[in-house]
Amino acid sequence: MKSKNKVKVIPLGGLGEIGKNITAIEYDNEIIVIDCGLAFPDAEMYGVDLVIPDITYLVNNREKVKGFVLTHGHEDHIGALPYVLKQLNVPVYGTRLTIGLVKSKLEEHKILSDCTLYEIKPGEEVKTENFRVEFIRTCHSIADSCALAIHTPEGVIVHTGDFKIEYMPIDGEGIDLQYFAKLGKKRVLLLMADSTNAERPGYTISERIIGENLTRIFGNAKGRVIIATFASNINRIQQIVNSSLFYGRKVAFSGRSMEKISIIAAELGYLKLPKDQLISVDDIDKYPSNKVTIITTGSQGEPMAALSRIAYSTHRKITVEKGDFVIISASPIPGNEKLISKLIDELFKKGAEVIYNTLEEVHVSGHACQEELKLMHTLIKPKFFMPVHGEYRHLKKHGMLAESLGMDQKNIFIQETGDVLELTRNSAKKSTRVTCGAVMIDGLGIGDVGNIVLRDRRHLSQDGILTVVVTIDKASFNILSGPDIITRGFIYMKESGDLINDAREVVKVELNKCMENKVKDWFTIKSSIKYSLGGFLYSKTGRRPIILPIIMEI
Amino acid sequence: MKSKNKVKVIPLGGLGEIGKNITAIEYDNEIIVIDCGLAFPDAEMYGVDLVIPDITYLVNNREKVKGFVLTHGHEDHIGALPYVLKQLNVPVYGTRLTIGLVKSKLEEHKILSDCTLYEIKPGEEVKTENFRVEFIRTCHSIADSCALAIHTPEGVIVHTGDFKIEYMPIDGEGIDLQYFAKLGKKRVLLLMADSTNAERPGYTISERIIGENLTRIFGNAKGRVIIATFASNINRIQQIVNSSLFYGRKVAFSGRSMEKISIIAAELGYLKLPKDQLISVDDIDKYPSNKVTIITTGSQGEPMAALSRIAYSTHRKITVEKGDFVIISASPIPGNEKLISKLIDELFKKGAEVIYNTLEEVHVSGHACQEELKLMHTLIKPKFFMPVHGEYRHLKKHGMLAESLGMDQKNIFIQETGDVLELTRNSAKKSTRVTCGAVMIDGLGIGDVGNIVLRDRRHLSQDGILTVVVTIDKASFNILSGPDIITRGFIYMKESGDLINDAREVVKVELNKCMENKVKDWFTIKSSIKYSLGGFLYSKTGRRPIILPIIMEI
């Protein structure tokens, strides 16, 4: 029977979108899940804090799910685990740093003791009845990243995770190109590969170049160096530390995630920083300013992160000063451009020198560009290909790249989240779709903010709300009190006296009409108040606030 | 007496911000105003349509204001005129296309017949008692752009407007570098120059290169070409027309501003398109698809613009089809990146080939990069320099560039909107500040949306609103009806039954407490309802909706 089985590849997130990467691989009575990431809310997801994948499919097949295998420790690959493990408590496998970061998350959510985590070294494997998952070392903007080779009864599936090619990586641990070549030399059924930079020609430059640039730039700093980067980019932080030590600067960390991750990375041996060179932000004033480097969070201009607090003088300990040398060692994540611009302006205004990627190469992407992708495809030579990790246009471009390398177009599967790909030893086809989607997390609520709430928040944000309340005698239908009108976000009340008085009259007229016509059902009365008041307000202001008529009867 | 007068340069917008460019030049009893632009709202300006400059200073000195002199016809230089001229009806001077665009705006606002507009040719001048304003031809991403040389009794002020240097411009009319040289050879007191690209090294590439690229790219199109660009970029549109005619394609315009501006530009002779090559979007299906080019608005992914409607199948006439070749001949304006990405994804999904700036050079900036700025500074050799048009960091970088050319740092004035610079023949100094700022336009309201309304809209967009209404007997203080609770944008009501019931109990308890304590002033009662209900809701949901307690008394 088993030979007739198919391998199902089920992306539950990360295709046609940036973030919430999660893919299930199913065979017979087993499912293993690659990654479990979160996404950050779109601009239209008003008030939403985080987005996690909808794992209905996994919950409905809970007895099959054997565990999560993680490619690396970025939020978009591990961030949904604390929420998902609460629903589906299965083992989690990943490399040392990845598991270290997961641990710290689960601790925060107070579920660490209930969970089963396994550290896997690159080169090692995880086995189930049907699957054998090899962890293969890659390079990325976080240490300890891996690709996965999933050996199934129908053939090998290679999932690259996020990767770039570094020939001389900072941490001395290179991407295991030879192993990819070995897999390719045998036979790879399906390649799933990172598409983030599939639009970009050439190569992603080496992290080492950034290190060299930083050392050169540090040489120009006469005062403190304040440098912001992603807390998880341990290699970058190592290079910043190296440049600092080169000039005899002590290093301080600022920002919650920076402090947390630097401790984890140092404990696990991923970050090398002599204890006597590390200082607390409380002590920075004890050293000459040209002997201090502060490594902070906030490279995306996030208003609550350390760098913004430093810039806008709301940081507990650090204020930016004339002579400070601020480096933003990161690129804007799309959507954050304006926040970052504002932050840079504020830093300049306060007298700092500011260096950012427009001016100097102080950041590089962690994802492979076209030439690196070509190398990977050529080494692995898969029979079938599914581009993953990226917006639709990235997947499309990645598909075109595979085609340009000679792959048959019908062997390339540009899929969307939820599309199931069925594979046998010799065939692949898109089959059904499974439930998938975005579960929004707002405060303590998971999934209780849906389209209606978002639509209302959007509407409220545009034109505000106008509440009209009236108390009516149930029997006589006479107005006992009101109509009272209260607005929020619509118009400045003190300047709107006449408008509100006139609006009140509109409501009275409407109520009288209803009374005369003996309309007594509240739904109709409220609708007609909404309709005439809406028309009146639009004609006077060009705005359409949400109108909330409330009728109290006594 | 007059010799003791000073020239005041008063930027009322456009410094430390992108948009709403407007600068007053004052001497004795006269003020002339350079440009009168609008800005687009920031992400935090919820529901705001447009932003115009606060012209209190001009209104308070209305008898002095002699007119507006316009550098070019972009929205950020002319867009506020319809609002401002209603308050301050003075003559407006500009080149032919600029005035043509202003006319069309004033017509829409139904005030054209009340306004006085003068067409000035480049090389001509406008005179008042104290000022002589020369219009000097420049190049920019809209035709008929000019710099201004303002001859004052204390010396010459050169304002570049927005510019770039083109040696072989599309419309055959080059930037008048010789005239700038001539002015510089005499003596220029103050230079005010465009800082938009002051961060970028090198030269802005020529518009002609874009034309060549477009012709090459058009050669790959097997179906229709649908190309989006800024409607005001007449030179670009001319090049698109040229590429189309080269391949025997008829041209159709789609989108309100594209249709409007192309008509104005063709009438005034700025756009050369044989009548028989222009077709209506109603007729595109009458031609083979490889013989049609559609030039549309919507290059910024604006949801209501033509290209988005074409992509999302809500356009009256045009739907994107497999085989269509879509070109986005524009760069994202900061803040629009995500909208544009979504649009590109949708076009790809519908089967179109999509070309945009990440893939091919199909757009170029209209602003001078560092080497062009250096040329301008070197030709004009001003005594004093004030960088204009740009965020603070652009102004700062432009100042550093001037310094690198040998200018004394104390002669460079990095100012903010509202800072007055006082000039004499031999001196310049920052003096007072004048009233300035952003007037927000929302629907028909001008300036009636202030910080309180925006704060509420922001709050509403994050956590929504909860209204609690109760009717109370004035004498006995007994509850006659309610408390009723209605929410919008807070939580999905159908899933929140218990929460709302519990919230009602919290209100009742609070009212009872007030009654027992004989608290009878509504302000205190409402405050305590807000406080306890707020705490309750936060503990249950982690959210803080706006709470609106309404008490009706009978």
Side-chain angles (χ1 to χ4, degrees):
Chain A
M1 272 303 281
K2 234 175 232 172
S3 66
K4 295 187 87 179
N5 258 327
K6 284 166 182 161
V7 180
K8 287 188 199 166
V9 176
I10 310 165
L12 294 171
L15 268 58
E17 63 184 330
I18 299 288
K20 74 178 175 61
N21 296 294
I22 176 170
T23 302
I25 312 283
E26 182 171 354
Y27 185 89
D28 196 25
N29 60 337
E30 290 191 334
I31 291 175
I32 51 169
V33 188
I34 303 168
D35 291 335
C36 186
L38 56 76
F40 295 101
D42 278 352
E44 312 90 81
M45 294 183 184
Y46 292 92
V48 171
D49 302 321
L50 295 174
V51 178
I52 60 171
D54 181 335
I55 57 153
T56 304
Y57 184 79
L58 300 179
V59 170
N60 290 346
N61 292 280
R62 57 165 66 245
E63 75 295 340
K64 287 189 176 185
V65 182
K66 299 303 160 199
F68 287 93
V69 286
L70 305 177
T71 59
H72 64 282
H74 275 155
E75 290 291 347
D76 55 335
H77 292 258
I78 66 167
L81 274 176
Y83 305 95
V84 166
L85 290 178
K86 282 176 199 160
Q87 294 177 69
L88 193 72
N89 193 352
V90 296
V92 177
Y93 305 87
T95 51
R96 199 148 170 246
L97 181 62
T98 308
I99 292 295
L101 294 170
V102 170
K103 260 188 194 159
S104 142
K105 276 190 183 304
L106 300 182
E107 231 162 28
E108 269 178 44
H109 282 257
K110 302 193 174 68
I111 57 168
L112 178 58
S113 57
D114 307 327
C115 299
T116 318
L117 309 179
Y118 294 100
E119 276 181 25
I120 305 295
K121 287 203 183 70
E124 292 182 349
E125 57 186 37
V126 174
K127 272 186 181 177
T128 69
E129 192 183 326
N130 295 296
F131 297 115
R132 185 161 63 83
V133 183
E134 291 178 307
F135 284 68
I136 309 165
R137 185 177 295 286
T138 59
C139 291
H140 183 44
S141 45
I142 183 168
D144 241 11
S145 296
C146 279
L148 303 172
I150 300 153
H151 298 261
T152 78
E154 299 297 317
V156 181
I157 297 172
V158 175
H159 189 295
T160 64
D162 288 349
F163 81 102
K164 64 182 288 200
I165 291 172
E166 284 277 2
Y167 295 112
M168 287 293 284
I170 305 309
D171 51 7
E173 310 265 22
I175 176 168
D176 194 349
L177 291 175
Q178 292 178 318
Y179 200 80
F180 289 111
K182 188 180 156 193
L183 286 169
K185 202 70 187 165
K186 290 183 196 163
R187 187 179 191 271
V188 170
L189 182 64
L190 173 71
L191 171 63
M192 302 171 79
D194 179 9
S195 311
T196 312
N197 276 351
E199 286 173 306
R200 299 205 202 161
Y203 288 90
T204 300
I205 64 165
S206 170
E207 179 67 32
R208 268 190 200 272
I209 304 287
I210 304 305
E212 290 164 14
N213 290 349
L214 287 175
T215 301
R216 178 177 50 76
I217 292 166
F218 270 53
N220 301 327
K222 293 184 181 59
R224 301 184 297 186
V225 170
I226 301 172
I227 180 164
T229 193
F230 298 108
S232 62
N233 198 338
I234 309 296
N235 285 341
R236 180 73 44 79
I237 293 172
Q238 184 68 61
Q239 299 209 95
I240 296 169
V241 166
N242 296 350
S243 300
S244 301
L245 301 186
F246 181 82
Y247 292 106
R249 290 176 181 268
K250 305 272 179 193
V251 174
F253 291 101
S254 177
R256 211 175 68 94
S257 64
M258 191 59 84
E259 291 166 36
K260 200 178 73 179
I261 296 184
S262 63
I263 290 171
I264 296 173
E267 274 174 5
L268 300 180
Y270 292 92
L271 179 64
K272 285 162 194 72
L273 170 59
K275 275 242 161 67
D276 59 339
Q277 301 302 313
L278 175 68
I279 61 173
S280 153
V281 291
D282 294 327
D283 295 333
I284 49 175
D285 291 340
K286 296 182 184 162
Y287 300 87
S289 58
N290 65 349
K291 292 297 168 202
V292 173
T293 296
I294 303 162
I295 308 180
T296 82
T297 54
S299 66
Q300 295 303 309
E302 310 93 319
M304 300 308 291
L307 187 58
S308 286
R309 287 185 282 122
I310 291 171
Y312 294 100
S313 307
T314 58
H315 194 283
R316 185 176 59 86
K317 280 286 164 190
I318 315 164
T319 317
V320 73
E321 293 161 8
K322 203 169 162 63
D324 281 343
F325 204 84
V326 181
I327 303 172
I328 298 177
S329 182
S331 291
I333 294 171
N336 295 342
E337 292 82 358
K338 283 205 148 184
L339 275 176
I340 298 172
S341 295
K342 272 198 173 172
L343 173 62
I344 294 172
D345 286 332
E346 188 64 26
L347 290 164
F348 267 125
K349 280 184 200 166
K350 295 270 165 75
E353 179 69 8
V354 194
I355 305 286
Y356 43 105
N357 233 15
T358 322
L359 307 178
E360 296 264 11
E361 266 181 333
V362 287
H363 177 67
V364 70
S365 163
H367 300 272
C369 288
Q370 289 174 356
E371 293 305 312
E372 293 157 274
L373 294 174
K374 286 180 192 169
L375 174 54
M376 204 55 141
H377 281 260
T378 305
L379 290 178
I380 294 180
K381 276 259 169 289
K383 183 160 177 62
F384 302 108
F385 172 51
M386 184 198 293
V388 297
H389 302 175
E391 308 270 8
Y392 189 83
R393 66 190 180 286
H394 303 125
L395 306 181
K396 180 85 186 169
K397 285 284 155 193
H398 201 173
M400 287 162 73
L401 179 138
E403 221 182 314
S404 79
L405 292 169
M407 190 172 233
D408 195 333
Q409 200 189 337
K410 69 179 199 310
N411 289 353
I412 299 168
F413 294 86
I414 314 288
Q415 304 212 155
E416 293 186 57
T417 292
D419 289 340
V420 178
L421 184 71
E422 282 187 0
L423 294 158
T424 68
R425 184 144 283 275
N426 297 302
S427 72
K429 76 164 208 282
K430 211 186 271 192
S431 63
T432 46
R433 278 184 63 75
V434 301
T435 305
C436 66
V439 175
M440 287 175 275
I441 297 181
D442 177 8
L444 303 175
I446 300 173
D448 64 346
V449 169
N451 287 335
I452 296 176
V453 171
L454 286 185
R455 193 196 58 200
D456 283 347
R457 286 185 185 171
R458 188 189 139 75
H459 192 158
L460 289 166
S461 78
Q462 295 300 303
D463 288 329
I465 188 165
L466 183 144
T467 306
V468 44
V469 194
V470 58
T471 306
I472 276 175
D473 184 275
K474 210 186 298 188
S476 71
F477 214 75
N478 283 331
I479 296 176
L480 297 176
S481 174
D484 281 5
I485 287 181
I486 298 168
T487 76
R488 285 290 183 277
F490 167 54
I491 199 166
Y492 188 47
M493 280 294 258
K494 286 201 177 139
E495 287 186 3
S496 62
D498 285 351
L499 182 74
I500 297 300
N501 283 335
D502 294 350
R504 217 174 275 134
E505 285 310 308
V506 171
V507 176
K508 278 189 197 160
V509 169
E510 205 56 40
L511 280 170
N512 284 335
K513 252 195 257 169
C514 290
M515 215 188 308
E516 280 163 23
N517 299 333
K518 309 223 186 301
V519 178
K520 287 210 171 184
D521 84 287
W522 296 129
F523 182 78
T524 311
I525 296 172
K526 284 180 184 179
S527 294
S528 52
I529 290 177
K530 270 191 198 178
Y531 183 79
S532 14
L533 196 51
F536 169 76
L537 295 172
Y538 186 73
S539 74
K540 292 291 178 190
T541 65
R543 299 176 201 165
R544 298 193 184 282
I546 288 187
I547 295 172
L548 215 61
I550 304 174
I551 301 172
M552 311 284 283
E553 352 166 48
I554 291 175
Chain B
M1 273 304 280
K2 234 174 230 170
S3 66
K4 295 187 85 178
N5 259 326
K6 284 167 182 160
V7 181
K8 287 187 198 166
V9 176
I10 310 164
L12 294 171
L15 267 58
E17 62 183 332
I18 299 289
K20 73 178 176 60
N21 296 294
I22 176 170
T23 303
I25 311 283
E26 181 170 355
Y27 184 88
D28 197 26
N29 59 339
E30 291 191 334
I31 291 175
I32 51 169
V33 189
I34 302 168
D35 290 335
C36 186
L38 56 75
F40 295 101
D42 277 353
E44 313 90 79
M45 295 183 183
Y46 292 92
V48 171
D49 301 323
L50 295 175
V51 178
I52 60 170
D54 181 334
I55 57 153
T56 303
Y57 184 79
L58 300 179
V59 170
N60 290 346
N61 291 280
R62 58 165 66 245
E63 74 296 339
K64 289 189 174 185
V65 182
K66 298 304 160 200
F68 287 93
V69 285
L70 305 177
T71 59
H72 64 283
H74 275 154
E75 290 291 348
D76 55 336
H77 291 260
I78 67 167
L81 274 176
Y83 305 95
V84 166
L85 290 178
K86 282 175 199 161
Q87 294 177 68
L88 193 71
N89 192 352
V90 296
V92 177
Y93 305 87
T95 50
R96 197 146 173 247
L97 180 62
T98 308
I99 293 295
L101 294 170
V102 170
K103 260 189 195 158
S104 143
K105 274 189 184 307
L106 299 181
E107 230 162 28
E108 269 179 42
H109 282 258
K110 302 194 173 66
I111 56 168
L112 178 57
S113 57
D114 307 327
C115 299
T116 317
L117 308 179
Y118 294 100
E119 275 180 25
I120 306 294
K121 287 204 183 70
E124 292 182 350
E125 57 185 38
V126 174
K127 271 185 181 175
T128 70
E129 193 182 325
N130 295 295
F131 297 115
R132 185 161 63 82
V133 183
E134 292 179 305
F135 284 67
I136 309 166
R137 185 178 294 286
T138 58
C139 291
H140 184 43
S141 45
I142 183 168
D144 242 9
S145 296
C146 279
L148 303 172
I150 300 155
H151 298 262
T152 79
E154 298 297 318
V156 182
I157 297 171
V158 175
H159 190 295
T160 64
D162 287 349
F163 81 102
K164 65 182 285 199
I165 290 173
E166 284 276 3
Y167 295 110
M168 287 292 284
I170 304 311
D171 52 8
E173 310 264 24
I175 176 168
D176 194 348
L177 291 174
Q178 292 177 318
Y179 200 79
F180 288 110
K182 188 179 157 194
L183 286 168
K185 201 69 186 169
K186 290 184 198 164
R187 186 179 189 272
V188 171
L189 182 63
L190 174 72
L191 171 64
M192 303 170 78
D194 179 9
S195 311
T196 313
N197 276 352
E199 287 173 306
R200 298 203 203 163
Y203 288 91
T204 300
I205 65 166
S206 170
E207 180 66 33
R208 269 191 200 271
I209 304 287
I210 304 306
E212 289 163 14
N213 290 348
L214 287 176
T215 301
R216 179 176 50 76
I217 292 166
F218 270 53
N220 302 327
K222 293 186 180 57
R224 301 184 298 187
V225 170
I226 301 173
I227 180 164
T229 193
F230 298 108
S232 62
N233 197 338
I234 309 297
N235 285 340
R236 180 73 45 79
I237 294 171
Q238 183 68 61
Q239 299 209 93
I240 296 168
V241 166
N242 296 350
S243 299
S244 300
L245 300 186
F246 181 82
Y247 292 106
R249 289 177 182 268
K250 306 273 179 193
V251 173
F253 291 101
S254 176
R256 210 175 68 93
S257 65
M258 191 58 85
E259 290 167 35
K260 201 178 73 180
I261 296 184
S262 64
I263 290 171
I264 296 174
E267 274 174 5
L268 300 180
Y270 292 92
L271 179 64
K272 286 161 192 73
L273 170 58
K275 275 242 160 67
D276 60 337
Q277 301 303 313
L278 174 68
I279 60 173
S280 154
V281 289
D282 295 327
D283 295 332
I284 48 175
D285 291 340
K286 296 182 185 162
Y287 299 87
S289 59
N290 66 349
K291 293 298 169 202
V292 172
T293 295
I294 303 164
I295 308 179
T296 82
T297 54
S299 66
Q300 295 302 309
E302 311 92 320
M304 300 309 291
L307 187 58
S308 285
R309 286 185 281 121
I310 291 171
Y312 294 100
S313 307
T314 57
H315 194 283
R316 184 177 59 86
K317 280 285 163 188
I318 314 165
T319 316
V320 72
E321 293 161 8
K322 205 171 161 64
D324 281 343
F325 205 83
V326 181
I327 304 172
I328 299 178
S329 183
S331 291
I333 294 171
N336 294 342
E337 292 81 359
K338 283 205 147 182
L339 275 176
I340 298 173
S341 294
K342 272 198 174 174
L343 174 62
I344 293 172
D345 286 330
E346 188 64 27
L347 290 164
F348 267 125
K349 280 184 201 165
K350 295 268 165 76
E353 178 69 8
V354 194
I355 305 287
Y356 44 104
N357 233 14
T358 320
L359 307 178
E360 296 264 11
E361 266 181 333
V362 287
H363 176 67
V364 70
S365 163
H367 300 273
C369 287
Q370 289 174 358
E371 294 304 313
E372 293 157 275
L373 294 174
K374 286 182 192 169
L375 174 54
M376 203 56 141
H377 280 261
T378 305
L379 290 177
I380 294 180
K381 276 259 169 289
K383 184 157 178 60
F384 302 107
F385 172 51
M386 184 197 293
V388 297
H389 301 172
E391 307 271 9
Y392 189 82
R393 67 190 179 286
H394 303 123
L395 307 180
K396 180 86 185 167
K397 284 285 155 194
H398 200 174
M400 287 162 73
L401 179 137
E403 221 182 315
S404 79
L405 292 168
M407 191 172 231
D408 196 333
Q409 201 190 334
K410 69 178 197 311
N411 289 351
I412 300 168
F413 294 87
I414 314 288
Q415 304 211 155
E416 293 186 55
T417 293
D419 289 340
V420 178
L421 184 71
E422 282 187 1
L423 294 158
T424 69
R425 187 142 282 273
N426 297 302
S427 72
K429 76 164 207 285
K430 212 185 270 190
S431 64
T432 46
R433 278 184 63 77
V434 302
T435 305
C436 66
V439 175
M440 287 174 275
I441 296 180
D442 178 7
L444 304 174
I446 300 173
D448 63 346
V449 169
N451 287 335
I452 296 174
V453 171
L454 287 185
R455 193 197 58 200
D456 282 348
R457 285 184 185 172
R458 188 189 138 74
H459 192 157
L460 289 166
S461 79
Q462 295 300 302
D463 287 329
I465 189 166
L466 183 144
T467 306
V468 45
V469 194
V470 59
T471 305
I472 277 176
D473 184 274
K474 212 184 295 185
S476 72
F477 214 76
N478 284 331
I479 296 176
L480 298 176
S481 174
D484 280 6
I485 287 180
I486 299 168
T487 77
R488 285 290 182 279
F490 167 54
I491 198 168
Y492 188 48
M493 281 294 258
K494 285 199 178 140
E495 288 187 2
S496 62
D498 285 351
L499 182 74
I500 297 300
N501 282 336
D502 293 350
R504 216 175 274 134
E505 284 310 308
V506 171
V507 176
K508 279 189 197 158
V509 169
E510 206 55 40
L511 280 170
N512 283 335
K513 253 195 256 169
C514 291
M515 215 187 308
E516 280 164 23
N517 298 333
K518 309 227 185 299
V519 178
K520 286 210 170 182
D521 82 288
W522 297 129
F523 182 78
T524 311
I525 295 171
K526 284 179 184 177
S527 295
S528 53
I529 290 177
K530 268 191 198 177
Y531 183 80
S532 18
L533 196 51
F536 169 76
L537 294 172
Y538 187 73
S539 74
K540 291 292 179 190
T541 65
R543 299 174 202 167
R544 297 194 184 282
I546 289 187
I547 296 171
L548 214 63
I550 304 174
I551 301 172
M552 310 286 282
E553 353 166 46
I554 292 175

